[in-house]
Amino acid sequence: MTTAQSKDVQARSGSYTVAVALVAAVGGLMFGYDIGVISFAKEGVKNAFKLGTFEIEVVVAAVLAGSFAGAIVAGKLCDRIGRRWTNVWGGILFAVGCLGCSLSYDFWMITAFRIMMGLGVGFSSVAGPLYIAEIAAPWSRGAMVSLYQLAITLGILIAFLIGLAMPDLWRIHFGIGIVLGLGLVFGMLVMPPSPRWLVGRGRVDTALGVLKRTTGSDTAAKSELEAIKVRVKEEAGEHLLTELSRSPAVRRALFLAFGLALLQQFSGINAIMFYAPEILKEIGLVKHEYLLTAMIGVVNVLATFIAIWLVDRLGRRVLLLAGTSLMMLSQIGIGIFAFWIPTGAAAADGTGSVPMAGIFALVMIFLAIIAFAFSLGPLVWLVISEIFPAGVRSACVGVATAANWTGAFIVALFTLTVLENKSLGTSSVFWIFAGSNIVAIIFIYLKLPETKGAKLEDIEGFFSAKNSKSARDHS
Ligand code: BGC
């Protein structure tokens, strides 16, 4: 094939893959919406059901408990019914969960339906990135999976904007989520199944048809099909536990994914996403907290484009190391500036004037969001979806995703308590997260091989003992 032809093939297959990825990314919208919605809705829920701090933390965290359970189950489901149908079920559960939340009449009912929303998001948080990574071509996989993250950030933003537009109508906030759930259901029903899953099920001809469309060329489709067939044959009958005891490469990859998933949450991103209004009040930005929360949502979306643009050019390691370092420095800054602000300063002085240190802390919050959005946000989902051999991929992605939700659960459950504790306060929250980001930097530096541009079928080789160091040094 000439260079011009191959460019044409890339462009044609690219638009098809983008379309497929966009539909799968509706799951990302759901994911983001369920994180963002509670930031505004919790005030209304709190007043409606007369809830205290801990009960509110439970309502916030319930969705994450559901997502944890959903992610574990989804690992298996992705193999049994396929990535596409797991996404469809994710959409159904989410839509029903949202409906239930919007009709809730007490703490228990809203908690139960928040868990159901979470189950749906848990399903799609495993099946979405997996499906996209398996459909995308190696040269665009980074950007395609980053689309999923872009959708998460858009979901958060939509939720923030709806919250801002109708702050008291929390039932409607949840009700709008139904549209996203149904969008995923109907969108996924018209999409093709993942070729790797099809081959695993013996449906080789259908897989070839899908590959022809995603690669844009018969020759490329056939060669990719052969590579998948070889791998699937080698990996037939693999079970996670047997593979973990047998293969150091799978153990290394799972350790990496598990670590990244947890560290993404302990970076503290969701302390901001869930509790931005409370944090902004604490640093003296009373009266502006909701508008600023929405601006955080906007910045989060925009900065994700940096990752989409750079991830397949610069690679995963550079972006992750740069972003995590910037986030850590910004959080140290937030801690320092917040330290200078007496709790509830602006509220107490009654004039609504904003302390200077509060403005600096705010700038640091924006920097931390930008840093996360071009690094840990998209790249953790990308790495998790690309480093496992096909035979155990969905089970491993399920385990790592469940670890991510566990981290989010812990952050949701304790942040407010620490924020509201007079002797700890805002500074301590951010210093704790900065400490965790130092661990993340070291972990990424030591453990993450560069996977930019590599075929999924080749990446598992990066984790064999002799290759893992050279893959890292090579980057
Ligand atoms: C994380 C979410 C987070 C979001 C923020 C995602 O990658 O997994 O927990 O809320 O990014 O944009």
Side-chain angles (χ1 to χ4, degrees), residues 50-347:
K50 315 244 170 325
L51 307 182
T53 299
F54 185 69
E55 283 161 319
I56 272 295
E57 282 174 325
V58 170
V59 173
V60 174
V63 91
L64 308 166
S67 302
F68 167 83
I72 295 273
V73 177
K76 284 229 171 320
L77 269 189
C78 279
D79 279 338
R80 291 248 165 90
I81 62 173
R83 285 72 166 132
R84 196 170 58 120
W85 276 100
T86 309
N87 270 309
V88 171
W89 278 105
I92 295 174
L93 285 168
F94 185 77
V96 177
C98 285
L99 180 66
C101 283
S102 69
L103 301 176
S104 288
Y105 48 77
D106 67 6
F107 167 72
W108 294 107
M109 182 165 174
I110 195 157
T111 304
F113 279 103
R114 289 271 295 158
I115 294 178
M116 182 176 272
M117 282 171 70
L119 278 174
V121 172
F123 277 23
S124 97
S125 64
V126 173
L130 198 61
Y131 177 76
I132 301 174
E134 292 188 346
I135 289 266
W139 65 81
S140 62
R141 189 176 56 243
M144 289 303 111
V145 180
S146 302
L147 274 183
Y148 185 80
Q149 172 70 14
L150 181 66
I152 296 179
T153 61
L154 275 172
I156 296 176
L157 177 62
I158 295 173
F160 282 177
L161 291 178
I162 290 172
L164 193 62
M166 31 182 156
D168 302 324
L169 304 180
W170 63 272
R171 292 183 189 278
I172 300 203
H173 301 180
F174 285 114
I176 291 174
I178 300 171
V179 180
L180 299 178
L182 294 182
L184 184 64
V185 172
F186 292 114
M188 283 311 291
L189 283 175
V190 293
M191 289 296 129
S194 151
R196 283 168 178 83
W197 181 77
L198 284 169
V199 173
R201 295 268 135 176
R203 292 163 59 188
V204 178
D205 290 343
T206 324
L208 182 63
V210 177
L211 284 168
K212 278 186 186 162
R213 281 185 278 162
T214 56
T215 60
S217 117
D218 288 6
T219 339
K222 281 187 188 134
S223 109
E224 200 160 329
L225 182 68
E226 287 317 308
I228 296 176
K229 272 171 33 191
V230 171
R231 276 279 174 261
V232 169
K233 196 163 171 200
E234 280 172 13
E235 289 157 1
E238 280 182 357
H239 288 291
L240 183 56
L241 292 182
T242 1
E243 278 313 292
L244 280 177
S245 60
R246 190 193 67 82
S247 157
V250 173
R251 280 204 296 275
R252 274 190 206 106
L254 189 59
F255 179 63
L256 171 65
F258 191 85
L260 282 177
L262 267 186
L263 289 167
Q264 188 209 47
Q265 289 304 323
F266 293 152
S267 74
I269 184 65
N270 283 327
I272 303 180
M273 293 303 161
F274 294 142
Y275 299 115
E278 286 78 3
I279 293 175
L280 293 166
K281 262 194 235 162
E282 287 295 320
I283 59 172
L285 295 155
V286 186
K287 289 199 182 147
H288 312 279
E289 72 267 28
Y290 289 117
L291 184 63
L292 289 170
T293 300
M295 279 173 68
I296 287 177
V298 173
V299 170
N300 191 28
V301 172
L302 294 180
T304 307
F305 283 99
I306 306 177
I308 295 182
W309 172 46
L310 291 179
V311 63
D312 291 312
R313 292 185 172 83
L314 295 184
R316 287 64 167 146
R317 277 176 64 82
V318 175
L319 278 184
L320 270 171
L321 288 171
T324 313
S325 308
L326 180 61
M327 188 169 188
M328 180 263 295
L329 292 173
S330 320
Q331 286 167 324
I332 294 178
I334 304 172
I336 293 175
F337 291 121
F339 196 67
W340 274 323
I341 305 167
T343 313

